[in-house]
Amino acid sequence: MVLKKEKGSAERILVDERLQHIAFIMDGNGRWAQKRGMPRKYGHSVGAQTFRRIAGYCREIGIHYMTVYAFSTENWKRPPEEVRAIMGILEDYIQKFSEMTEKESIHIRFIGNLSVFSKDLQEKMENLDRETASNPFHLNIAINYGGREEIVHACKALICEGKTDIGEADIAAHLYTAGCPDPDLVVRTGGDTRTSNFLLWQSAYAEYHFTSVLWPDLSESDVDAAVAAFYSRHRRFGGV
């Protein structure tokens, strides 16, 4: 990590090769809205704006991969109105991303069990992934995603291929995130200190940073604090 001061501006953090992939558990949208006397779906709308801003900032400071937990396999249990609002935001942002990706140099990839979505929406997701694949900043959006389901999916795929001797590399190659390095840093907003079934395999040696800040309020300085905390730690990966 270095601090760089550009002409006429304050110092800001820039990352190095030790921090390539940052993941966010975007928690607190509903609570943020309720604290303001608004319906929970309003919090998701504001949270979507925060998501776009934070993605842009992570790209600016030199991070190459970012994964966000947008909707879990368990989130279908939420009130139908809230689920519909989240799905509406998703479709809206697919359209907006199609318009912004060339300028922002973002490769957008949707990870999770996408089979539950309409054929039309799946096609839009696939097209956006394909059309932005050459862009240098990789943004994974985990939608209908669950870490346990992902591992089961990988194992089933290997069984279908006739594999009888399965190693770690085989499973890693069949995860939804195949081709991406494992996350170096996982940030959870909203005050809870649990992983909530997110990137269970990939985060085996990730550093975690928990903050009580609700996702819609997350600022660039909060990202800086998480990055600084990451660089203050000695990563041993099982060694000494």
Side-chain angles (χ1 to χ4, degrees):
M1 179 189 70
V2 297
L3 290 174
K4 181 179 179 182
K5 187 171 185 178
E6 298 180 348
K7 189 175 180 180
S9 64
E11 286 187 334
R12 70 171 184 175
I13 283 178
L14 293 177
V15 305
D16 58 22
E17 69 282 355
R18 289 173 290 174
L19 179 49
Q20 295 188 54
H21 187 173
I22 187 169
F24 290 93
I25 300 174
M26 304 184 296
D27 200 11
N29 289 334
R31 282 176 286 156
W32 183 90
Q34 289 174 323
K35 285 175 64 176
R36 289 158 177 77
M38 301 293 289
R40 289 176 58 87
K41 63 181 182 179
Y42 176 69
H44 294 295
S45 178
V46 176
Q49 297 172 32
T50 300
F51 158 52
R52 182 170 173 175
R53 175 171 49 80
I54 294 301
Y57 183 67
C58 287
R59 178 179 58 82
E60 288 174 9
I61 65 174
I63 290 170
H64 298 298
Y65 298 85
M66 175 174 162
T67 300
V68 295
Y69 206 4
F71 192 84
S72 76
T73 50
E74 291 75 33
N75 285 158
W76 297 104
K77 301 172 185 176
R78 294 188 175 188
E81 182 182 8
E82 184 175 349
V83 172
R84 283 194 298 270
I86 294 171
M87 293 299 114
I89 291 169
L90 171 65
E91 294 199 49
D92 182 55
Y93 262 71
I94 287 175
Q95 180 60 40
K96 288 182 178 178
F97 278 133
S98 298
E99 298 166 359
M100 70 178 255
T101 45
E102 183 175 349
K103 178 181 178 182
E104 306 250 354
S105 300
I106 299 175
H107 170 209
I108 295 174
R109 181 181 183 188
F110 296 90
I111 63 172
N113 181 1
L114 307 182
S115 65
V116 300
F117 300 111
S118 68
K119 293 295 184 183
D120 179 63
L121 186 55
Q122 288 182 55
E123 185 175 328
K124 289 179 180 178
M125 292 178 182
E126 291 168 4
N127 288 342
L128 189 56
D129 183 350
R130 183 175 60 254
E131 291 167 2
T132 62
S134 62
N135 289 334
F137 179 72
H138 304 272
L139 176 58
N140 299 318
I141 301 175
I143 186 85
N144 193 37
Y145 174 89
R148 290 180 173 179
E149 189 277 335
E150 178 181 32
I151 296 169
V152 170
H153 173 271
C155 291
K156 286 182 176 179
L158 288 163
I159 291 169
C160 288
E161 292 176 8
K163 284 275 190 178
T164 57
D165 184 14
I166 297 174
E168 290 187 13
D170 297 309
I171 293 176
H174 288 76
L175 296 175
Y176 297 130
T177 56
C180 289
D182 289 342
D184 302 294
L185 173 62
V186 179
V187 179
R188 178 168 189 151
T189 63
D192 288 325
T193 54
R194 55 179 176 265
T195 62
S196 292
N197 201 20
F198 182 52
L199 300 179
L200 296 181
W201 180 281
Q202 300 91 328
S203 64
Y205 283 102
E207 298 294 326
Y208 274 80
H209 179 80
F210 299 100
T211 174
S212 60
V213 176
L214 301 177
W215 176 257
D217 286 330
L218 195 76
S219 68
E220 289 81 350
S221 61
D222 294 318
V223 175
D224 287 348
V227 170
F230 170 84
Y231 278 101
S232 71
R233 301 175 190 175
H234 176 53
R235 303 182 76 195
R236 295 183 294 276
F237 299 98
V240 294

